[in-house]
Amino acid sequence: MCEAFNKFILELRDKPIIILMEGIKVYLMKRIVSHREKVLRCNAPVCPKIQEIYEKRKRKAEGWTPEWCGDDQYSLFEVSKNFEKFVVNINKRTCSCRKWDLNSIPCCHGVACLWQNNYNPEAYVAACYRYIV
């Protein structure tokens, strides 16, 4: 983004400050409008980049086997595949792999647990990635 911005202002650098500022204002307004139009055209419940990440994690979730740990709230699971094991807490939205903790998008282990309980995994994506219309 910085490189694109610097390229744009190359032709404006030798202009007086008022013209430079007006040019930057017009550039930023056009950029904001184009991004807004992209967002309005999107029909997905979450942003497109986040949707890509989420789709990859859904594909990776196949083959993971969640086992309920016996807690009262049906939220604690041990997920295993071959010799790998991870602990997922659905209520706290955490996993021992830490991917869900770091970016608030369910990891493949969390997706497997959510599927096991017939929950919609997209509902567990953080609200900051959702569209508000």
Side-chain angles (χ1 to χ4, degrees), residues 62-125:
E62 295 176 13
W64 287 96
T65 308
E67 294 291 329
W68 178 52
C69 292
D71 64 322
D72 293 334
Q73 299 170 343
Y74 298 101
S75 64
L76 197 59
F77 290 85
E78 183 178 80
V79 184
S80 61
K81 181 179 183 181
N82 299 332
F83 295 107
E84 292 182 274
K85 291 188 179 191
F86 295 96
V87 177
V88 175
N89 189 328
I90 294 175
N91 286 346
K92 291 183 180 178
R93 299 177 184 212
T94 61
C95 179
S96 59
C97 76
R98 307 252 354 242
K99 287 182 183 176
W100 197 353
D101 305 357
L102 292 174
N103 59 16
S104 301
I105 304 168
C107 61
C108 59
H109 319 112
V111 170
C113 292
L114 293 167
W115 281 343
Q116 172 87 13
N117 288 334
N118 295 324
Y119 295 149
N120 179 12
E122 284 184 355
Y124 286 82
V125 174

Side-chain angles (χ1 to χ4, degrees), residues 35 38 42 44 46-57 103 105 125 129 131:
H35 283 290
K38 287 179 189 176
C42 186
V46 294
C47 303
K49 296 280 185 190
I50 303 305
Q51 188 69 30
E52 287 176 26
I53 294 169
Y54 177 68
E55 292 299 325
K56 286 179 188 176
R57 292 185 179 180
N103 59 16
I105 304 168
V125 174
Y129 299 128
Y131 290 126

Side-chain angles (χ1 to χ4, degrees), residues 13-61:
R13 282 190 185 170
D14 58 343
K15 306 286 185 207
I17 189 74
I18 300 297
I19 295 172
L20 172 71
M21 296 304 282
E22 284 293 319
I24 291 172
K25 181 183 91 169
V26 169
Y27 169 74
L28 291 175
M29 284 189 323
K30 286 180 182 178
R31 185 172 166 84
I32 289 169
V33 167
S34 69
H35 283 290
R36 183 168 189 241
E37 288 172 354
K38 287 179 189 176
V39 167
L40 291 176
R41 277 186 268 142
C42 186
N43 295 328
V46 294
C47 303
K49 296 280 185 190
I50 303 305
Q51 188 69 30
E52 287 176 26
I53 294 169
Y54 177 68
E55 292 299 325
K56 286 179 188 176
R57 292 185 179 180
K58 280 184 4 183
R59 285 191 295 275
K60 288 182 181 180

